[in-house]
Amino acid sequence: MRISREKVNHISKMIVNDLVKRDDFDYKTELNDVRLEITQVINEYLKIEDSADEEARKVCASYSRKMREGTDEWDILYNRHYEEYMSKHGL
């Protein structure tokens, strides 16, 4: 599921703000650099998630017996292929 750039930035700011409140961390870099790295990681994850969705849908559509999206059978197969793709990418 695609979320907007603004939402990703907002989430990364919330994470950094939470880190600032904690005394457990010693920052060796600027907090904005940390926020930018968090944003990059979120965006990379979302790209992999989108690719997993696309691949799972493609595989489900390739079955000789056509299934309607939303049926129990389709959901089971979609989830299986989605999870396989995610596990191949270490997620």
Side-chain angles (χ1 to χ4, degrees):
M1 179 174 97
R2 209 57 173 131
I3 62 176
S4 70
R5 181 175 183 233
E6 292 79 21
K7 286 183 182 179
V8 171
N9 286 331
H10 179 71
I11 292 167
S12 67
K13 286 178 189 175
M14 288 175 50
I15 292 170
V16 168
N17 288 339
D18 187 57
L19 292 175
V20 168
K21 294 176 187 175
R22 298 172 186 234
D23 295 332
D24 303 338
F25 298 102
D26 182 26
Y27 304 103
K28 306 231 185 262
T29 186
E30 294 293 322
L31 289 176
N32 190 53
D33 292 339
V34 173
R35 186 190 64 76
L36 292 173
E37 185 67 25
I38 291 168
T39 301
Q40 182 180 357
V41 169
I42 291 171
N43 285 327
E44 287 174 12
Y45 177 83
L46 290 172
K47 286 179 187 175
I48 293 171
E49 195 175 60
D50 285 345
S51 296
D53 175 67
E54 184 179 317
E55 185 65 25
R57 289 177 184 279
K58 192 184 304 180
V59 171
C60 287
S62 71
Y63 280 93
S64 61
R65 194 173 126 237
K66 299 298 178 197
M67 297 167 281
R68 285 185 335 167
E69 185 175 336
T71 61
D72 289 341
E73 183 180 19
W74 189 91
D75 287 342
I76 290 168
L77 289 172
Y78 171 85
N79 287 329
R80 180 186 312 152
H81 294 298
Y82 180 89
E83 292 300 325
E84 284 177 7
Y85 188 93
M86 294 297 278
S87 67
K88 285 181 187 176
H89 289 83
L91 301 171

